[in-house]
Structures are given as C-alpha cells and as structure tokens.
Amino acid sequence: MGESFGAGRGSAAWLKVSRGSDQPLDRGSRCPCGGLPSGASLGECCAPVIEGERLAPTAEALMRSRYTAYALADGDHLHRTWHPRTRPAGVDPEPWVRWVGLEVLDVVDGEAGQDAGVVEFRARWVAGEGRTRQRGEVHERSAFARRAGRWFYVGPEPSDP
Ligand SMILES: [Zn+2]
C-alpha cells in the first residue's frame, strides 16, 4: 500500500511538511502549488483561501490550497478543510520535509455548483541534506465534498482492484 494523504498520522508522507525552507515565501512569490492559472503568485492563488479571505470555488482550488498549507506548515487550514466525518483529531505537520512540487493529473467534477469531486495529483517532497537526502512523492486520487457552500477534503479514493 502506498502512502496516502488520508491514512492518518504516522503513515502519511503528506503529513510531513517544510517549515525551515531556505526560501521564505511572500505573497508575490510563485504559489507553491504551481499556481492556478500556472505561475500565479501565492497572493493571487492559495493565500486568500488559506487565510479565509475567500472560499475555494472548486475542489481543485481547495486541493491546491491544502498542498500549499502543507508546504507552509499551516495545520489550521488543513484541519478546517478536512471533512468532519474523516478528519483526524489533530493535523500535525512535521517540519523536516520540504514539499517541492505539485502536479494535478486529473480532475473529475468538483466545479462550483457541484457537491462532489475527485482530484488526482502527485506531490513531491525532499528531506534531509547531503548524503542523507531523501526524495519521495505522494500520489493520490482525493475525494472532495461540498457542504454549506464549502469544499472539504474527504479522503483518498479506493484504488482500482
Ligand atoms: Zn496555489
């Protein structure tokens, strides 16, 4: 079984995040998620969603904001956007992994006005330095649901048999 964002603490590379990144981010920096549209800045893309200035309009936008929240080690946003039915008691990002890239592979539904959607993505991480450097990735098809106008992360879709 692969690592999964929804598998809970201890088993999910997704729960390991970069705090001590050597490149401080500000709102004018390219968004860690890569930007929607591509190349958009943090201030145009994920920051307003993470800071509660606006709601994510689509499942993909919410997924991107959650990736960026992991990259910024913002556990509050992760907790807030996790569906109450599936969310862990605490979301506790670990500081020793840096998230270095997000690729959205597939999007099914999850548009504004819909109530469910699926986003498949690959997120790459790097940990350690020098000889102890490790790399990895998380690949998941995530299910999202909308309640009361807000998108929530539900968990990984079961993989095909
Ligand atoms: Zn973004």
Side-chain angles (χ1 to χ4, degrees), residues 79-88 147 152-153:
H79 187 261
R80 264 199 315 272
T81 58
W82 210 310
H83 198 286
R85 184 161 55 77
T86 55
R87 81 179 155 211
R147 288 171 31 129
F152 289 90
Y153 170 67

Side-chain angles (χ1 to χ4, degrees), residues 11 13 17 19 37 43 56 77 84 92 102 105 114 117 126 129-130 133 138:
S11 62
V17 196
R19 184 158 300 170
H77 181 67
D92 192 14
L102 174 69
L105 304 172
Q114 297 183 306
V126 174
E129 297 296 337
R133 195 170 180 90
V138 175

